[in-house]
Amino acid sequence: MKEEAIKVGDKAPDFELERQDGGFFRLYETLREKNVVLYFYPKDSTPGCTKQACEFRDQYEVFEQQGAEVVGVSSDSVESHQRFEQVYKLPFTLISDKGGSIRKLFGVPKKLGLLPGRVTYIIDREGIVRYVFNSMSKPLEHVSTALEVLREINSEAHHHKV
């Protein structure tokens, strides 16, 4: 039975995975305080993934200003993530989805049936998926699109408070 892919408007499934620093990342714990930009990517230190990670790094302060935490997920080991983080000075969480179980939980598609896909989910503090961006070939657009969506979420929240 194929798992249904998570779509906009769905509640994101909670999960817990090991972070590159050896601690644990729990989705709903983070959502208590922030929106989460959860991005699945194929592999540490490959060209597209490096570009994407560095772009998230360069825009990280803007994500913080938008009240969001950036979390990268791949099947690489914690050690691989540590190297990736150190070489590129990545300020955000990388989590190790060893058997690909979280990828399955979200229904992240594979490219050509082989490569783990590159998909970004934007999850608001209610746990609702607000946006899904699926593009293997445009690693940088994941970052700019995520920021646009966060700005929208925040302006809505602002209007509700008034």
Side-chain angles (χ1 to χ4, degrees):
M1 202 180 99
K2 195 185 160 300
E3 290 287 307
E4 269 298 289
I6 297 287
K7 297 180 297 297
V8 170
D10 289 351
K11 202 146 170 66
D14 195 12
F15 64 86
E16 185 172 81
L17 276 181
E18 197 171 357
R19 295 194 307 246
Q20 78 266 41
D21 62 8
F24 278 86
F25 168 83
R26 224 183 131 195
L27 181 61
Y28 275 75
E29 231 161 69
T30 308
L31 287 174
R32 271 194 226 131
E33 289 152 26
K34 299 175 176 172
N35 300 308
V36 171
V37 176
L38 185 68
Y39 86 95
F40 290 85
Y41 64 97
K43 199 159 176 30
D44 285 346
S45 308
T46 52
C49 299
T50 299
K51 250 200 219 121
Q52 185 181 15
C54 291
E55 184 68 11
F56 271 123
R57 174 198 68 198
D58 296 346
Q59 301 285 343
Y60 188 66
E61 274 177 26
V62 189
F63 280 99
E64 285 192 310
Q65 285 157 10
Q66 295 296 327
E69 189 50 66
V70 175
V71 181
V73 187
S74 77
S75 307
D76 297 297
S77 67
V78 169
E79 295 70 40
S80 167
H81 279 342
Q82 285 167 346
R83 280 196 302 277
F84 193 34
E85 174 197 32
Q86 282 156 5
V87 173
Y88 296 103
K89 313 229 176 331
L90 304 177
F92 48 85
T93 300
L94 294 174
I95 48 185
S96 178
D97 183 20
K98 282 205 188 73
S101 59
I102 304 307
R103 199 173 268 283
K104 281 193 202 80
L105 196 60
F106 276 81
V108 179
K110 285 195 162 95
K111 272 285 171 266
L112 310 171
L114 302 166
L115 274 178
R118 186 191 307 281
V119 183
T120 298
Y121 296 85
I122 298 175
I123 305 164
D124 70 15
R125 292 179 54 182
E126 309 295 303
I128 303 298
V129 176
R130 300 294 294 268
Y131 196 83
V132 179
F133 188 72
N134 179 355
S135 167
M136 201 62 170
S137 56
K138 300 183 177 148
L140 300 182
E141 266 181 45
H142 285 262
V143 182
S144 53
T145 309
L147 280 171
E148 275 165 43
V149 175
L150 286 165
R151 288 194 181 104
E152 273 164 38
I153 291 173
N154 289 328
S155 69
E156 275 166 34
H158 185 69
H159 293 312
H160 289 318
K161 281 192 190 116
V162 177

